Amino acid sequence: MMSRQAFLCSLGSLYLFLLFVFLLMDVYARPANNSALKEKPADSKDENEILPPDHLNGVKMEMDGHLNKEFHQEVFLGKEMEEFEEDSEPRKNRKKLMVIFSKVDINNDKKISAKEMQRWIMEKTDEHFQEAVEENKMHFRAVDPDGDGHVSWDEYKIKFLASKGFNEKEIAEKIKNNEELKIDEETQEVLDNLKDRWYQADNPPPDLLLNEEEFLSFLHPEHSRGMLKFMVKEIIRDLDQDGDKKLTLSEFISLPVGTVENQQAQDIDDDWVKDRRKEFEEVIDANHDGIVTMEELEEYMDPMNEYNALNEAKQMIAVADENQNHHLELEEILKYSEYFTGSKLMDYARNVHEEF
């Protein structure tokens, strides 16, 4: 029979052996460092703080030329949009909609006119603006490490590449010494596009430094008339096939959509073309001559254009105006809740009477 001392010695040897195996496994489990500049993967939160957003709230068209599918919900719900989820309790969503209805109906006549809806759309759009301004303050601090109130292109470039997983200190040293950076082609292309936007956001006199207000224009071009023009030029450049700096209907609907592999994909493509055709013919092409100029597209893109807000209000009313009185009643909004909130309310007629 093994003595107590021998047993403890054997147990200690087993522990040391297992510890050695664990450490060995840990070493081999670590990924090899294949790049002198790459480090840990980019944190998505950090990256979102410094990259211009793909989606602009309260704007009818995205920067890549795609229509903003959530526009109606954004300008009707504002900050409350996130509260209307698909799996939310219908009864709670009805109550939220009733509260919104009462806020839009400022004269309390139990119906919403185009003018009331226009006022509400402008208010919600401004709400998105103010939210972007507040977020920009935080984002600007993230790229202005020395706190001098200005950010150079090189400072931003370093932060951007760090967000992509490059070693920030090594990148900064190489830029300081004008050394070549080994960057993949895709990242370089993004950098080149960002640099163009950076220069456009740099208000006269140009100094290649962005203050907080200019940085807001860089991240959110819809806040600046000059940057709005730049965004329009970018969209037309991407869509204009004959180089006349104007858009025909065929050019506007020719953006590549998904590869059609089945009937469902075909239906999605058909809906996409239908939406773009309707927007082109009924809204963007203001004089209905079959051509969209830069000026027309700029007016369409301007989120604070009061005429556009009124036109949008009339369109939103027309969608749900079943009794054709050019106003919206609560029952109509509840019935067409999916259009206004993205959330469908079942048994709206019965439930609305229960609420009252």
Side-chain angles (χ1 to χ4, degrees):
M1 186 173 182
M2 183 182 293
S3 68
R4 177 180 176 83
Q5 183 177 3
F7 173 77
L8 291 175
C9 183
S10 174
L11 188 65
S13 299
L14 178 61
Y15 172 78
L16 290 174
F17 173 75
L18 289 175
L19 179 61
F20 172 77
V21 171
F22 174 79
L23 291 173
L24 194 63
M25 289 174 64
D26 183 56
V27 169
Y28 281 100
R30 295 172 189 167
N33 185 7
N34 295 321
S35 170
L37 297 177
K38 287 275 188 177
E39 50 181 16
K40 65 180 180 179
D43 183 278
S44 58
K45 183 178 183 297
D46 292 339
E47 185 173 341
N48 289 337
E49 286 182 349
I50 64 173
L51 274 176
D54 293 328
H55 177 75
L56 302 175
N57 291 327
V59 180
K60 295 193 73 172
M61 185 180 287
E62 306 286 9
M63 294 179 61
D64 58 5
H66 282 76
L67 298 179
N68 177 4
K69 287 292 185 181
E70 298 178 342
F71 176 74
H72 296 131
Q73 288 97 49
E74 289 171 355
V75 295
F76 184 73
L77 299 177
K79 292 181 179 179
E80 288 81 14
M81 183 174 173
E82 295 180 359
E83 298 179 14
F84 285 83
E85 300 175 355
E86 285 296 327
D87 56 352
S88 294
E89 186 180 338
R91 188 179 182 87
K92 290 182 179 180
N93 282 348
R94 285 195 303 276
K95 288 184 177 180
K96 293 173 188 174
L97 261 180
M98 291 169 70
V99 170
I100 292 175
F101 181 90
S102 65
K103 290 179 180 179
V104 184
D105 179 26
I106 54 176
N107 63 3
N108 297 315
D109 65 351
K110 305 301 180 183
K111 57 187 178 182
I112 294 174
S113 68
K115 280 291 184 181
E116 286 175 322
M117 184 67 84
Q118 178 198 31
R119 177 198 65 84
W120 181 256
I121 289 174
M122 295 295 291
E123 185 177 310
K124 295 294 107 177
T125 303
D126 185 65
E127 190 177 280
H128 288 306
F129 268 45
Q130 296 309 316
E131 187 176 4
V133 169
E134 290 304 312
E135 288 178 354
N136 183 67
K137 292 179 181 178
M138 176 183 66
H139 299 165
F140 186 76
R141 287 195 295 269
V143 295
D144 182 26
D146 55 12
D148 65 354
H150 293 86
V151 179
S152 69
W153 168 249
D154 281 347
E155 283 179 318
Y156 178 81
K157 184 177 179 179
I158 291 167
K159 288 293 184 181
F160 168 77
L161 290 175
S163 77
K164 290 293 185 181
F166 289 85
N167 185 295
E168 184 170 344
K169 290 183 178 179
E170 291 184 29
I171 284 287
E173 190 66 25
K174 285 181 175 291
I175 289 178
K176 179 181 178 181
N177 297 327
N178 292 318
E179 296 180 29
E180 181 183 357
L181 299 178
K182 294 181 179 179
I183 302 174
D184 59 275
E185 187 176 340
E186 182 180 350
T187 302
Q188 186 60 54
E189 184 178 352
V190 174
L191 263 179
D192 291 341
N193 291 333
L194 289 175
K195 192 173 184 179
D196 287 341
R197 287 183 60 171
W198 188 272
Y199 287 165
Q200 290 293 328
D202 185 15
N203 292 327
D207 55 6
L208 301 183
L209 299 173
L210 299 192
N211 58 29
E212 188 174 309
E213 183 179 348
E214 291 168 332
F215 192 71
L216 175 64
S217 296
F218 171 72
L219 289 184
H220 291 273
E222 74 276 16
H223 282 249
S224 161
R225 196 69 189 186
M227 284 297 288
L228 196 62
K229 289 179 182 289
F230 175 71
M231 188 160 67
V232 167
K233 288 179 180 178
E234 291 288 287
I235 291 174
I236 289 187
R237 184 196 66 184
D238 292 340
L239 303 184
D240 179 22
Q241 296 174 3
D242 58 13
D244 64 354
K245 297 183 180 180
K246 300 175 184 178
L247 296 180
T248 62
L249 175 60
S250 62
E251 288 173 329
F252 189 70
I253 65 176
S254 65
L255 267 176
V257 286
T259 302
V260 179
E261 296 179 350
N262 51 46
Q263 186 58 47
Q264 184 179 6
Q266 179 66 59
D267 292 342
I268 292 173
D269 281 14
D270 290 345
D271 290 342
W272 183 88
V273 170
K274 182 180 177 181
D275 289 344
R276 291 184 72 83
R277 180 187 295 275
K278 182 177 180 181
E279 201 70 15
F280 182 97
E281 294 178 338
E282 298 182 11
V283 185
I284 309 177
D285 182 15
N287 62 1
H288 304 292
D289 64 351
I291 299 292
V292 165
T293 63
M294 283 191 177
E295 290 74 22
E296 286 176 322
L297 188 56
E298 186 180 333
E299 287 302 307
Y300 169 81
M301 293 287 290
D302 184 2
M304 296 307 290
N305 184 311
E306 292 187 8
Y307 173 78
N308 284 351
L310 180 59
N311 189 40
E312 190 62 38
K314 291 177 180 178
Q315 287 187 52
M316 292 174 75
I317 290 175
V319 167
D321 184 21
E322 288 198 334
N323 61 12
Q324 298 296 301
N325 67 349
H326 306 294
H327 288 72
L328 284 181
E329 280 79 35
L330 178 60
E331 290 87 347
E332 291 171 328
I333 286 185
L334 290 173
K335 183 173 182 179
Y336 290 87
S337 64
E338 194 166 12
Y339 175 79
F340 293 99
T341 70
S343 176
K344 191 172 184 179
L345 305 182
M346 305 303 292
D347 299 327
Y348 79 96
R350 175 172 58 83
N351 288 318
V352 73
H353 289 299
E354 288 178 2
E355 299 290 354
F356 285 115

